[in-house]
Amino acid sequence: MDVLVQGALTSAVIALVALGFSLVYGVGGIVNLAHGSFFMIGAYSAYAMSETGAPLLVSAVVGVLAATLAGVLLERLVITPIRHQEVAVLIATLAVAILVQSGVQFFYGGLERQLPGFVSGAVTVFGVTLQQTRVLAGLVALVTIVTVLLVLTRTPTGRMVRAVAQDEEASRLIGVRPERVTLYVLAIGAGLAGLAGVLTAPYGVLTPTMWLLPLTQAFAIVILGGLGSIPGTVLASVVVGFLDRFVAFNVKDGDIKVGLVTVAVILATLVLRPQGFLGKVAR
Amino acid sequence: MTSTKVAEQPAAPSDGGSGRPSPLKRLLRPNPLILLALPIVLLYLPRFVDNTTLLQQIAVATIFVMFAASWDILSGYTGQVNFGHAAFIGTGAYTVALLSKYQPDVSNELALLAAVGAAALLGLLIGIPCLRLKGPYLALATLSVAGALVQLTFIFKTQTGGEDGIAGVKTVIDGSLTNTIGEGLSKLVLGPLTFSGLGGFDQYIYVSYFVTLVFMVVMVGGLMLLGYGKRGLVLRSIQQDELAAEAAGVPLTRYKLGAFVLSAACAGLAGGLYAQVRGTVALDLLAVDLSLLIIIIAAFGGAGSIIGPAIGAYVVVLLQNYYLDRATDLFVEHPELKIGTFALLLIIVLIVQPRGIVPPLLQRLSGRGSATRAAGATMVEGGGAKP
C-alpha cells in the first residue's frame, strides 16, 4: 500500500517534468538536455526568495516564473540559431545544463539545501501516513497535468500545438507560426519543470547536480511512452514513478539505485521496442 | 536543410585527372608545415621548458588528445555521437590497473594490449545494439552504459576499490618498452647526461612526457591517415546520408561497427596508458564528466577533422589544469567555474562557428579555401538534416 500511494504521488510529479520534455520534442523536434536544469532553477529560485524572507507562496511563484524565463532565454539565445541541427542542439543544451550547474555551485556551493514545507504535519490516506508536503506536491501536479491535457485537447491553442507537432509545414500553410508555438511550448514546459522543482524542494534536497535524475527520468519516460506521444508520456510516468518508489522501498540503498533502474528501463526499451508503448515508429 | 552537402566533400577530382591523391598528400595539404611542426615542437619543448609541473600537464593533455581523437573517428566522422566515451577509457584503465594489482608479472606492454582488447570487446558489445540507434537515442544509450560501469565498480568494490580506486599501478617507468622510449628520447632531446642530475620524480615526468607523445603521434597520425583517406570519406558519407551511402554500396554495418570498435580500442589504449602515467585509477576515468569534457573538446576544436579535437584537447586541458589556476584566484577557489567557462565557450562556438575553431583556422592559414574542406567538420552541419 505504501508503494502504491507514494508511487502515485511520485508519478504525478515526474509526469510534470516529462510532459514538458515530451511536448518540446513533439512540437519542435528538440531534445532539450537542459530540461532538468529548469527543475533545478525552479527549486533554487524559490529557495533564494524564501531566504530573503519572502512568503513561501511568493517564493514558489517566483520559482516557476524564473524557470519559465530560463526556458524563453534558452529558446531565443541558444536553440533558435541552431534549431535544425539535431546533434548541435543536443550538445549545446547539455552545455547549458553544465553551465547552470556550475553557476549554482558557484553561488550556493555543493551543500545540500532544503526549502521549508508549504504545509507541515502528516496525513493518513488508505492507512498510509504521509508527509503533507508530498501529498500537496502530488495533488498540485495532478491538477496541473489535467489542466495541460485539457488545454491541449479542448482549446484552439491546444489544437495549434498539436497541428505543429503533426506537420510543421502544413500548419504553416493554415496560418500557424511554428517558431512561435515552439517558443510557447518550451516556455510552458520549462515552467512545468520549474513547478515540479518547487513542489519537491521541501522534501527533496537541493544540490547542484539535482538536474540529472529528473532529466534521465523524463528521458526514460519519453522513450518508454514513445517520443512525442502525450498519452504514452502519462502512462510511462506512472510506470517509472511506481518503479522509483518500489526500488526506494524494497532494495538496499534503494534511493541511490533509482537512477540505475531508470537506465535499465531505457536500455531494455531501446532494444526491445524502440518506438515505445504508444509511439510512432522511430525515424 | 534540404540541400545535400555533397558539395563539401573533399572528393573534388581537380588533380589534373591523375586520379585520387594519396591519403598522405591529402592529409598534409591543408598545411604541411603546421602538421609536421607540431610533433617536432612538442618533442623539443622540454629542452626549453624546465617547468616540470607544466610538462606533466602537457603529458596529461597529450593523453586527452588521444581521447578526443578516438572519439572523433566514430562520432565526428559517422555522426554517431557517443556521450559515454569514458566507458572505453575506463575499461582500458581498469584493465591495466587490475592486471597490475592481481597479476604483477604481466608486463606493461601486455597489459596495454589487454586494455585494447577489453575496450574493443566492449565497443563491439555496445556497437551491435547501437547500430540502429541515432541522435538522442544513441546519446542516452551510451551515456547509460558508462553510468552502468560506474555502478559495476561499486558492486565489485573489493576488487576495484570503489570510490577510492586502485593505487600503485605499475607506471611507465616499470615498462621496458615505455621506459626505453622515454629514456631514449630524453637523452636525444636533453643530452646524454639527462638523468644523472635529476631526481626520480623528474625522470618519471620526462619519461611520461615522451612516451605519451610517441603514442599520441602514432595514434593521431594513423587516425588522420584513415580519416583523410577513402575510408574516412565513406565514414563521412554515412553521416551525411545513411540511406544514400547504403544505396551506393557502402557496407553500413561493417563500417559503423568498425568505427565503433576502432574508437573503443584507441580509447582503451589511451586509458590504459593514462593509468600507467598516473599510477592510479579512479572513478573519474569512467565518470559522465569525462565523457562531457571530451565532447566539449571535440566540438570546440572542430569535430570530424581529428586534428581539431587534438588541438582542442591541448587548449582546453592546459587551460583547465594549468593556466586558469594561474590567471586568477577565482578559479582556484571555485574549480567548478572552469567547466562552466568551457560550457559557455562551447555554446558560443556552436552558434557562431559550428565547424569548431581549428579547421577554419587551418584553412585561413593555408590560404586555400576549397582544398582544405577535407579538414572541415561536418558533424554539426551535416547532422542536422531533418527527414
Side-chain angles (χ1 to χ4, degrees):
Chain A
M1 205 64 209
D2 246 16
V3 176
L4 285 185
V5 176
Q6 293 257 23
L9 294 174
T10 310
S11 303
V13 178
I14 293 180
L16 209 53
V17 182
L19 199 57
F21 189 76
S22 177
L23 273 176
V24 171
Y25 182 84
V27 171
I30 297 163
V31 177
N32 177 14
L33 294 181
H35 195 71
S37 308
F38 299 140
F39 180 86
M40 176 155 86
I41 288 172
Y44 267 95
S45 308
Y47 171 79
M49 276 307 282
S50 78
E51 282 288 275
T52 65
L56 272 177
L57 199 59
V58 176
S59 312
V61 172
V62 168
V64 176
L65 288 181
T68 313
L69 181 69
V72 173
L73 288 178
L74 179 78
E75 211 278 340
R76 288 286 98 168
L77 298 179
V78 180
I79 294 182
T80 304
I82 53 175
R83 162 133 188 244
H84 291 292
Q85 302 159 19
E86 201 179 32
V87 176
V89 169
L90 271 181
I91 296 178
T93 50
L94 189 64
V96 170
I98 295 171
L99 183 64
V100 173
Q101 175 186 335
S102 150
V104 167
Q105 196 164 1
F106 176 68
F107 286 113
Y108 294 99
L111 292 177
E112 295 182 348
R113 288 160 195 274
Q114 203 154 21
L115 192 71
F118 302 103
V119 285
S120 59
V123 64
T124 307
V125 189
F126 299 122
V128 183
T129 310
L130 296 160
Q131 286 169 282
Q132 278 193 6
T133 46
R134 270 183 194 265
V135 178
L136 181 76
L139 290 181
V140 173
L142 194 63
V143 170
T144 316
I145 291 167
V146 172
T147 315
V148 172
L149 290 183
L150 284 179
V151 168
L152 275 178
T153 49
R154 297 287 153 84
T155 65
T157 323
R159 212 172 299 138
M160 234 158 69
V161 172
R162 284 181 295 142
V164 177
Q166 277 179 10
D167 191 329
E168 201 177 306
E169 289 309 311
S171 68
R172 203 189 296 273
L173 288 177
I174 55 167
V176 180
R177 290 162 69 185
E179 294 80 14
R180 200 42 79 77
V181 173
T182 306
L183 174 63
Y184 291 155
V185 167
L186 216 149
I188 291 167
L192 292 179
L195 177 63
V198 171
L199 289 175
T200 51
Y203 60 89
V205 280
L206 309 191
T207 65
T209 51
M210 66 187 280
W211 57 277
L212 197 56
L213 186 63
L215 179 66
T216 13
Q217 285 186 329
F219 218 145
I221 286 165
V222 168
I223 284 177
L224 200 60
L227 278 176
S229 156
I230 300 298
T233 303
V234 175
L235 187 64
S237 302
V238 175
V239 174
V240 172
F242 277 100
L243 209 60
D244 177 314
R245 285 300 102 189
F246 182 77
V247 173
F249 281 126
N250 294 320
V251 182
K252 190 165 157 273
D253 298 330
D255 274 331
I256 310 165
K257 290 183 181 152
V258 166
L260 194 64
V261 172
T262 315
V263 165
V265 169
I266 297 171
L267 285 181
T269 318
L270 284 178
V271 173
L272 298 176
R273 191 175 162 79
Q275 72 271 38
F277 289 161
L278 304 172
K280 31 189 181 183
V281 176
R283 289 176 298 178
Chain B
M1 298 305 287
T2 48
S3 67
T4 50
K5 303 258 174 10
V6 183
E8 288 188 359
Q9 289 294 331
S14 58
D15 296 78
S18 62
R20 172 178 292 281
S22 76
L24 192 65
K25 252 191 208 156
R26 292 155 60 79
L27 167 57
L28 293 179
R29 196 162 51 180
N31 203 323
L33 282 179
I34 290 186
L35 290 182
L36 288 178
L38 268 182
I40 295 174
V41 167
L42 283 170
L43 180 64
Y44 280 94
L45 196 68
R47 191 163 186 158
F48 307 103
V49 176
D50 52 7
N51 177 347
T52 46
T53 317
L54 179 59
L55 288 181
Q56 196 176 11
Q57 291 310 329
I58 295 180
V60 171
T62 307
I63 302 255
F64 272 76
V65 170
M66 290 188 262
F67 292 167
S70 61
W71 180 90
D72 203 31
I73 195 69
L74 171 70
S75 303
Y77 271 83
T78 70
Q80 302 212 309
V81 179
N82 179 358
F83 276 70
H85 203 50
F88 302 139
I89 295 167
T91 302
Y94 271 91
T95 305
V96 165
L98 287 172
L99 274 176
S100 160
K101 185 175 171 187
Y102 290 105
Q103 304 284 337
D105 295 337
V106 173
S107 72
N108 273 16
E109 297 78 39
L110 214 57
L112 281 180
L113 277 183
V116 172
L121 187 66
L122 183 70
L124 193 66
L125 287 179
I126 301 176
I128 292 172
C130 284
L131 276 175
R132 307 191 284 173
L133 307 178
K134 259 187 245 173
Y137 294 95
L138 184 72
L140 200 72
T142 47
L143 196 64
S144 39
V145 168
L149 285 185
V150 173
Q151 296 286 339
L152 266 186
T153 60
F154 277 110
I155 293 170
F156 295 100
K157 201 169 179 170
T158 39
Q159 285 84 26
T160 61
E163 271 165 357
D164 301 329
I166 303 172
V169 180
K170 287 193 292 180
T171 64
V172 275
I173 292 188
D174 302 318
S176 55
L177 173 73
T178 45
N179 199 36
T180 317
I181 296 177
E183 278 197 19
L185 284 177
S186 305
K187 288 199 175 105
L188 176 75
V189 173
L190 302 170
L193 295 173
T194 310
F195 288 147
S196 53
L198 292 175
F201 185 65
D202 284 345
Q203 177 179 350
Y204 153 72
I205 287 175
Y206 281 111
V207 170
S208 318
Y209 182 91
F210 288 113
V211 168
T212 52
L213 183 64
V214 168
F215 273 77
M216 185 276 282
V217 168
V218 172
M219 184 187 293
V220 171
L223 287 175
M224 284 188 82
L225 277 178
L226 182 82
Y228 286 73
K230 182 167 161 271
R231 279 168 221 269
L233 202 59
V234 174
L235 289 177
R236 232 185 262 275
S237 75
I238 294 177
Q239 160 165 186
Q240 307 237 329
D241 192 334
E242 210 167 90
L243 290 178
E246 194 168 25
V250 171
L252 267 190
T253 310
R254 207 198 307 161
Y255 269 93
K256 279 167 91 173
L257 209 54
F260 229 110
V261 172
L262 179 67
S263 168
C266 290
L269 178 61
L273 188 64
Y274 197 21
Q276 292 184 354
V277 166
R278 294 208 308 189
T280 61
V281 294
L283 281 181
D284 63 321
L285 292 175
L286 280 170
V288 182
D289 301 29
L290 178 60
S291 302
L292 299 188
L293 188 63
I294 291 168
I295 296 177
I296 289 181
I297 288 172
F300 181 68
S305 65
I306 306 285
I307 186 72
I311 294 176
Y314 276 119
V315 174
V316 171
V317 175
L318 285 182
L319 276 177
Q320 181 186 14
N321 293 349
Y322 192 81
Y323 287 110
L324 285 185
D325 284 342
R326 281 155 185 79
T328 150
D329 284 342
L330 192 65
F331 287 112
V332 182
E333 283 157 31
H334 296 280
E336 72 271 9
L337 282 182
K338 290 185 201 166
I339 186 91
T341 311
F342 293 134
L344 187 64
L345 271 180
L346 175 66
I347 297 168
I348 296 171
V349 168
L350 276 177
I351 293 170
V352 177
Q353 179 52 275
R355 287 171 57 203
I357 50 168
V358 175
L361 210 66
L362 280 179
Q363 196 170 325
R364 181 130 342 145
L365 281 173
S366 67
R368 292 179 57 180
S370 59
T372 52
R373 281 285 164 76
T378 51
M379 182 191 82
V380 173
E381 292 170 297
K386 287 191 79 176

